[in-house]
Amino acid sequence: QLQLVESGGGLVQPGGSLRLSCAVSRGTLGYSAIAWFRQAPGKEREGVSCISSAGFVKLYADSVKGRFTISRDNGKNTVYLRMTSLKIEDTGVYYCAADPFQNTCTQVDDNGRYVGWGQGTQVTVTS
């Protein structure tokens, strides 16, 4: 069964940048769409971005459009989330997951089919 591992989080000032990685620890990305989610303290988990299996379809939450860029390297079985112009409200634990039932993205929210959730990586934006 697919298992993903997130990394790349850290402490950064507002306006700073980070690049998160989502790597496969077991299985393969295959033809799965991959999504990033985040959960801020005291809030529900929300969808951030999604990328189709071939990387042609990329969706973003309105709150991160123009600041975050999702990409994937299927040869390395890794998906990335480049985050720039970070804001305090971007603080949270970031998770990635795979939708093995479709190879494209139609929404950034959790459709209930995502699997392979990792432990997440903490992103803290603070001055």
Side-chain angles (χ1 to χ4, degrees), residues 105-120:
C105 300
T106 56
Q107 61 182 55
V108 293
D109 295 328
D110 188 352
N111 57 22
R113 299 194 299 264
Y114 284 99
V115 299
W117 299 86
Q119 294 299 310

Side-chain angles (χ1 to χ4, degrees), residues 5-127:
V5 178
E6 304 91 345
S7 63
L11 182 67
V12 63
Q13 293 184 336
S17 300
L18 285 172
R19 189 181 78 159
L20 306 184
S21 296
C22 170
V24 175
S25 66
R26 186 171 64 240
T28 178
L29 293 181
Y31 297 102
S32 301
I34 305 295
W36 282 97
F37 301 87
R38 68 185 179 187
Q39 187 166 21
K43 294 187 177 180
E44 293 186 355
R45 187 172 62 202
E46 63 175 349
V48 174
S49 184
C50 179
I51 187 168
S52 62
S53 60
F56 295 127
V57 177
K58 301 177 183 180
L59 301 181
Y60 299 93
D62 288 343
S63 59
V64 306
K65 280 180 182 177
R67 301 188 298 120
F68 290 13
T69 302
I70 192 170
S71 61
R72 66 191 287 164
D73 184 336
N74 288 335
K76 294 183 178 179
N77 263 327
T78 303
V79 174
Y80 305 96
L81 185 67
R82 176 68 175 168
M83 307 186 297
T84 63
S85 301
L86 282 163
K87 304 176 180 180
I88 292 176
E89 52 263 41
D90 293 319
T91 294
V93 180
Y94 283 69
Y95 304 89
C96 61
D99 183 351
F101 298 98
Q102 63 176 10
N103 60 6
T104 191
C105 300
T106 56
Q107 61 182 55
V108 293
D109 295 328
D110 188 352
N111 57 22
R113 299 194 299 264
Y114 284 99
V115 299
W117 299 86
Q119 294 299 310
T121 185
Q122 176 71 46
V123 172
T124 302
V125 185
T126 180
S127 55

